[in-house]
């Protein structure tokens, strides 16, 4: 809990420093720049917080929220905005999911707990197929490239093994 307190203080300090900079700026253009920075930091904080919440609650609740959010974005920004939100969501959630799959494949206990808390085998299989390309991208960036750069050995990744292990690990009827 103490590390979260430090993080909250740092975020609050950044916002306060930005507002102080806007207040003491000698010209209107500098004030406007500081206020734009303040708004941008608030938007980034909101997006980061939303991603942390979605990673915590899992994809089923996230899908309902995303449908409502895309409808609102489409109403405000049109189809281009909806495609942008959908694409970025696929990349972010796919990255989270594929990193957890790689951690599970390597036997990490926290990844096992993460899947156990959030998934049935059926829901895992749906996301597994949806994010299949992301599994290879994550493997490329997290295993292959670092192993070539540091000349270390790496584990060969076979997605079919993950699916078989998950079938044994996650019971079908578990929620």
């Amino acid at each position: 809990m103490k590390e979260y307190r430090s993080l909250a203080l740092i975020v609050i300090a950044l916002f306060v420093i930005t507002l102080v900079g806007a207040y003491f700026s000698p010209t209107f253009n500098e004030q406007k720049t500081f206020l734009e920075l303040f708004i941008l930091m608030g938007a980034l904080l909101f997006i980061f917080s939303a991603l942390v919440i979605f990673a915590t609650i899992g994809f089923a609740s996230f899908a309902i929220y995303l449908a409502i959010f895309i409808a609102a974005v489409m109403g405000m920004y049109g189809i281009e905005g909806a495609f942008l939100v959908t694409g970025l969501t696929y990349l972010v959630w796919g990255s989270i999911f594929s990193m957890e799959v790689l951690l599970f494949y390597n036997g990490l206990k926290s990844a096992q707990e993460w899947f156990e808390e959030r998934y049935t085998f059926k829901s895992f299989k749906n996301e597994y197929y949806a994010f299949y390309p992301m599994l290879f991208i994550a493997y490329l960036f997290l295993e292959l490239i670092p192993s070539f750069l540091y000349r270390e050995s790496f584990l060969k990744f076979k997605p079919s093994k993950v699916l078989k292990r998950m079938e044994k690990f996650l019971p079908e009827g578990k929620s």
Side-chain angles (χ1 to χ4, degrees), residues 4-88:
Y4 297 119
R5 194 176 316 137
S6 301
L7 180 63
L9 287 173
I10 290 169
V11 169
I12 291 169
L14 286 171
F15 280 102
V16 168
I17 289 169
T18 306
L19 285 177
V20 168
Y23 182 76
F24 288 109
S25 293
T27 65
F28 176 73
N29 282 337
E30 287 180 13
Q31 287 177 342
K32 188 174 87 171
T33 303
F34 273 110
L35 291 176
E36 287 172 352
L37 178 64
F38 180 80
I39 292 169
L40 179 65
M41 285 182 359
L44 287 175
L45 180 64
F46 172 74
I47 291 169
F48 178 73
S49 301
L51 289 175
V52 168
I53 290 168
F54 297 146
T56 304
I57 64 174
F59 192 73
S61 302
F62 176 67
I64 294 169
Y65 175 79
L66 184 62
I68 295 167
F69 186 69
I70 286 180
V73 167
M74 198 179 318
M76 290 186 294
Y77 302 109
I79 195 74
E80 295 89 5
F83 279 134
L84 183 64
V85 167
T86 304
L88 289 175

Side-chain angles (χ1 to χ4, degrees), residues 101-108 112 121 124 155 158-171:
V101 167
L102 285 174
L103 292 173
F104 178 83
Y105 186 77
N106 290 318
L108 207 69
Q112 293 172 354
F121 178 68
F124 172 80
L155 290 173
K158 293 188 180 180
S160 59
K161 283 187 178 181
V162 172
L163 196 58
K164 287 177 186 173
R165 285 180 56 195
M166 278 296 186
E167 190 172 19
K168 293 175 186 172
F169 182 72
L170 295 173

